[in-house]
């Protein structure tokens, strides 16, 4: 027993000599596992939570006191009128500029100056020394600001007298902030723009599509260059739009002319060279200079256009140019003179300028028989990047220096391509598709001002409206042409009769 006690005492002493971290500790008993409570998502929509009180009703804590209501200083009426005279403003005439007067009085008040009116003069008295002065730099700065704003306002007032500026302003308001091209145009915007551009949809329905497309192009340009770079002056090229409208008038008159030529409305014997943007009549050079020499017509721009007469019959408009004979021919005369012999291999080109189908601002230089398109040098360079189009056949349109040339035996194919892809179509239908705020399409008639919902799967065919008595409604020019197509019937439409007033078609 004595030996066991000594051994136990030695082990106890050895344990006491160890550091505390190595000593054995008795582990606390592990409590029994509690059953897990289901996790509840506590949100504001939880019906068990009380509804939060509105912010103004919540009690203010001692750490966040309620803000005191701001007191707006008031000024005497005589001080306001005196300061208005000092700034060169009239309260009754310029009510939009009252904030400049108040801002000036507040700035003087912050500098401890009091405005005193003595007769027609205004003095500024320092509050602490009662020093009075008749001039103050704060008043001078606000006077310059008021003069600048008045000048800008007068400039805008003069600009609003210009219908072209008002068109730019309407287009700017339509495209800025819009996220979908379908919501850019609507019937109200179109009618306002057409009224400013002197386009009547009752007489010239073929011009409505040109205006609609130009406004939508302005939206796509805004998306391309960025909204921050768009202003009222550069949102749309109004001069280009006016030129295109006048050229469309000329093209429509050529289409209804029996010979394809337009003669001056003044002397009625010479070929027309220009069209007036004011009267929309065509003139030769001498008549245009005489008519537009005085009065308001001096400010009316003139748009030039090309006309080429057949050298064989001297009656019809020329369609092709023979590069070997160096003469212009209409289709019938060219077929008659180049039907046999070596003339079948004469090189042909176009007698007038043609513009690219992909880049309308560039003149076309080539024609592709595979795609049946007229292309510029820029479009051909882009087309050559595609491996599938590198072997397409290209022919020169106006120059005979190209390696591949058009010959007389290809004339029928050339004329079919020009009629289908180059000549502009002039739709006479008054129905156009627009979209409401929900992007639901609907048809709108600019002549009868009717509105009908459109089928999203059929946005090509306009609706057929019947009259109240059960009979068909009065047909427009497009409906008449759909039944009896042809150039002869086109001349019988109301649009053709109205356009024929601006030109002479036959030489007396």
């Amino acid at each position: 027993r004595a030996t066991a006690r000594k051994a136990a005492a030695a082990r106890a002493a050895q344990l006491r000599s160890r550091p505390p971290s190595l000593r054995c500790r008795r582990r606390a008993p592990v409590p029994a596992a509690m059953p897990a409570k289901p996790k509840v998502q506590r949100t504001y929509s939880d019906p068990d939570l009380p509804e939060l009180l509105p912010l103004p009703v919540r009690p203010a804590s001692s750490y966040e006191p309620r803000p005191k209501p701001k007191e707006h200083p008031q000024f005497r009426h005589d001080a306001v009128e005196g300061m208005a005279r000092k700034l060169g403003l009239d309260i009754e005439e310029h009510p939009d500029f009252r904030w400049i007067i108040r801002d000036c009085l507040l700035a003087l008040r912050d500098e401890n100056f009091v405005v005193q009116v003595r007769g027609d003069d205004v003095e500024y008295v320092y509050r602490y020394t009662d020093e009075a002065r008749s001039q103050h730099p704060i008043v001078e700065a606000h006077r310059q600001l008021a003069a600048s704003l008045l000048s800008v306002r007068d400039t805008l007032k003069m600009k609003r007298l210009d219908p072209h500026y008002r068109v730019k302003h309407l287009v700017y308001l339509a495209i800025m902030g819009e996220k979908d091209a379908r919501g850019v145009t609507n019937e109200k915007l179109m009618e306002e723009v057409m009224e400013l551009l002197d386009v009547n949809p009752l007489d010239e329905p073929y011009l409505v599509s040109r205006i609609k497309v130009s406004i939508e192009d302005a939206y796509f340009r805004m998306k391309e260059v960025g909204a921050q770079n768009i202003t009222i002056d550069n949102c749309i090229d109004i001069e280009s739009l006016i030129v295109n409208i006048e050229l469309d008038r000329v093209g429509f008159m050529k289409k209804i002319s029996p010979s394809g030529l337009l003669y001056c409305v003044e002397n009625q014997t010479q070929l027309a060279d220009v069209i007036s943007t004011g009267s929309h009549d065509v003139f030769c050079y001498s008549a245009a200079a005489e008519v537009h020499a005085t009065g308001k017509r001096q400010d009316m721009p003139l748009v030039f256009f090309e006309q080429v007469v057949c050298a064989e019959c001297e009656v019809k408009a020329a369609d092709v140019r023979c590069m070997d004979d160096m003469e212009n021919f209409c289709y019938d005369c060219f077929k008659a003179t180049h039907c046999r012999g070596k003339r079948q291999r004469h090189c042909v080109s176009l007698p007038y300028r043609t513009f690219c189908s992909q880049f309308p601002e560039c003149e076309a230089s080539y024609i592709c028989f595979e795609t049946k398109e007229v292309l510029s040098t820029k479009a051909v360079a882009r087309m050559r990047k595609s491996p599938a189009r590198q072997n397409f056949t290209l022919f020169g349109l106006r120059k005979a220096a190209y390696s591949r040339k058009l010959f007389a035996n290809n004339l029928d194919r050339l004329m079919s391509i020009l009629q289908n892809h180059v000549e502009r179509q002039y739709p006479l239908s008054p129905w156009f598709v627009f979209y409401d705020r929900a992007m639901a399409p609907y048809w709108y008639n600019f002549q009868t001002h009717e509105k009908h919902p459109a089928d999203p799967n059929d946005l090509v065919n306009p609706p057929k409206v019947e009259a109240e008595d059960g009979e068909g409604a009065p047909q427009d020019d497009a409906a008449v042409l759909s039944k009896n197509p042809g150039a002869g019937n086109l001349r019988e439409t109301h649009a053709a009769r109205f356009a024929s007033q601006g030109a002479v078609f036959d030489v007396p």
Side-chain angles (χ1 to χ4, degrees):
R1 291 180 180 177
T3 305
R5 283 197 295 270
K6 290 180 180 180
R11 284 197 300 271
Q14 186 179 4
L15 291 175
R16 284 195 297 272
S17 63
R18 291 183 179 182
S21 60
L22 298 179
R23 297 178 185 177
C24 297
R25 297 182 180 178
R26 181 178 295 178
R27 297 182 178 178
V30 180
M34 298 290 293
K37 295 183 178 180
K39 187 175 181 180
V40 180
Q41 184 179 3
R42 302 184 66 82
T43 61
Y44 289 107
S45 60
D46 191 352
D48 296 335
L49 291 176
E51 295 183 359
L52 295 177
L53 296 175
L55 186 61
V57 187
R58 295 182 187 176
S61 63
S62 59
Y63 300 99
E64 297 179 0
R66 288 185 178 179
K68 295 181 180 181
K70 185 177 180 180
E71 297 181 359
H72 298 281
Q74 302 294 330
F75 299 98
R76 301 189 311 273
H77 185 68
D78 58 343
V80 174
E81 290 184 348
M83 184 57 65
R85 292 194 301 270
K86 200 72 174 179
L87 298 179
L89 298 175
D90 189 353
I91 299 178
E92 301 296 336
E93 186 179 356
H94 310 113
D96 297 337
F97 294 152
R98 291 183 179 181
W99 63 272
I100 302 178
I101 304 173
R102 181 174 179 80
D103 187 79
C104 183
L105 293 174
L106 289 174
L108 291 173
R109 180 176 175 272
D110 294 339
E111 295 293 331
N112 298 318
F113 280 90
V114 179
V115 177
Q116 292 184 358
V117 180
R118 295 183 180 178
D120 295 337
D121 195 10
V122 178
E123 293 183 350
Y124 316 106
V125 180
Y126 192 59
R127 182 177 302 175
Y128 299 108
T129 60
D130 294 338
E131 178 186 358
R133 60 172 68 177
S134 60
Q135 302 291 335
H136 200 281
I138 294 179
V139 180
E140 180 64 21
H142 283 77
R143 188 192 64 78
Q144 296 178 3
L145 175 62
S148 176
L149 292 178
L150 286 174
S151 176
V152 172
R153 183 189 135 182
D154 295 339
T155 304
L156 289 177
K157 187 176 180 180
M158 294 301 297
K159 282 185 176 181
R160 291 192 181 98
L161 298 178
D162 183 10
H164 297 171
Y165 179 82
R166 281 183 280 173
V167 171
K168 294 180 181 180
H169 188 238
L170 290 173
V171 175
Y172 179 81
L173 296 178
I175 65 176
M176 296 303 291
E178 187 62 45
K179 297 183 179 180
D180 198 319
R182 296 174 294 178
V184 174
T185 57
N186 52 64
E187 65 275 10
K188 182 179 179 181
L189 173 65
M190 291 292 299
E191 289 176 349
E192 292 180 356
V193 172
M194 286 189 294
E195 183 180 359
L196 294 173
L197 295 179
D198 194 17
V199 175
N200 190 352
L202 298 176
D203 302 326
E204 300 170 317
Y206 55 90
L207 298 178
V208 180
S209 59
R210 169 70 71 177
I211 300 175
K212 187 174 184 293
V213 171
S214 299
I215 297 176
E216 293 172 352
D217 287 345
Y219 168 79
F220 289 113
R221 179 178 173 273
M222 182 268 295
K223 287 295 184 180
E224 181 181 357
V225 303
Q228 69 277 4
N229 299 321
I230 297 297
T231 60
I232 297 179
D233 294 328
N234 65 2
C235 64
I236 186 173
D237 191 357
I238 191 66
E239 290 79 10
S240 177
L241 175 59
I242 293 174
V243 170
N244 288 328
I245 289 176
E246 298 302 330
L247 292 179
D248 287 345
R249 287 191 172 103
V250 171
F252 185 75
M253 286 190 287
K254 286 183 178 180
K255 207 173 187 66
I256 62 178
S257 175
S259 62
L261 297 175
L262 304 179
Y263 294 90
C264 177
V265 295
E266 287 293 324
N267 51 38
Q268 300 182 0
T269 56
Q270 296 185 7
L271 286 176
D273 300 306
V274 297
I275 180 172
S276 175
T277 57
S279 61
H280 313 307
D281 297 332
V282 294
F283 301 92
C284 60
Y285 287 126
S286 58
E290 181 180 356
V291 171
H292 293 77
T294 57
K296 294 182 179 180
R297 291 197 175 188
Q298 288 180 325
D299 300 329
M300 295 181 182
L302 301 176
V303 179
F304 295 85
F305 59 90
E306 292 181 278
Q307 288 198 104
V308 185
V309 186
C310 176
E312 189 71 17
C313 64
E314 297 182 354
V315 175
K316 295 183 180 180
D319 297 321
V320 294
R321 178 177 178 82
C322 181
M323 302 305 297
D324 294 281
D325 298 336
M326 299 301 295
E327 295 287 350
N328 301 316
F329 298 91
C330 63
Y331 178 79
D332 297 333
C333 293
F334 188 87
K335 292 292 289 185
T337 56
H338 294 74
C339 60
R340 62 179 63 89
K342 293 182 179 180
R343 287 195 171 187
Q344 288 184 341
R345 302 297 296 173
H346 279 193
C347 180
V348 299
S349 64
L350 297 181
Y352 46 84
R353 298 178 65 188
T354 307
F355 293 92
C356 178
S357 58
Q358 298 183 8
F359 300 96
E361 69 276 3
C362 301
E363 184 179 357
S365 303
Y366 303 90
I367 185 171
C368 181
F369 273 5
E370 282 78 8
T371 60
K372 297 182 179 180
E373 293 177 336
V374 288
L375 304 173
S376 62
T377 306
K378 182 178 179 181
V380 170
R382 189 175 70 172
M383 185 185 71
R384 290 298 189 186
K385 296 180 181 179
S386 175
R389 295 190 174 187
Q390 289 183 356
N391 297 326
F392 282 5
T393 306
L394 298 177
F395 294 94
L397 279 179
R398 298 195 66 183
K399 299 181 181 179
Y402 295 115
S403 59
R404 293 182 178 179
K405 306 172 185 178
L406 287 170
F407 296 103
N409 52 5
N410 290 327
L411 181 62
D412 294 335
R413 193 173 181 182
L414 171 64
M415 296 305 297
S416 65
I417 294 176
L418 294 179
Q419 289 178 1
N420 296 331
H421 297 274
V422 177
E423 290 187 2
R424 175 167 169 77
Q425 303 296 327
Y426 300 98
L428 300 181
S429 175
W431 292 96
F432 287 86
V433 178
F434 295 99
Y435 293 83
D436 56 13
R437 293 187 177 181
M439 293 305 161
Y442 63 92
W443 289 95
Y444 182 78
N445 191 320
F446 282 100
Q447 295 181 354
T448 61
H449 305 286
E450 298 180 55
K451 185 187 294 186
H452 294 277
D455 183 7
N457 299 322
D458 184 13
L459 298 179
V460 178
N461 300 317
K464 297 181 180 179
V465 182
E466 295 184 357
E468 296 181 357
D469 55 357
E471 299 180 357
Q475 295 182 349
D476 50 29
D477 293 342
V480 174
L481 287 178
S482 62
K483 291 185 178 181
N484 301 312
N489 294 305
L490 177 63
R491 301 186 189 103
E492 300 299 328
T493 59
H494 172 73
R497 289 193 295 268
F498 179 82
S500 62
Q501 301 175 7
V504 176
F505 296 152
D506 298 318
V507 178

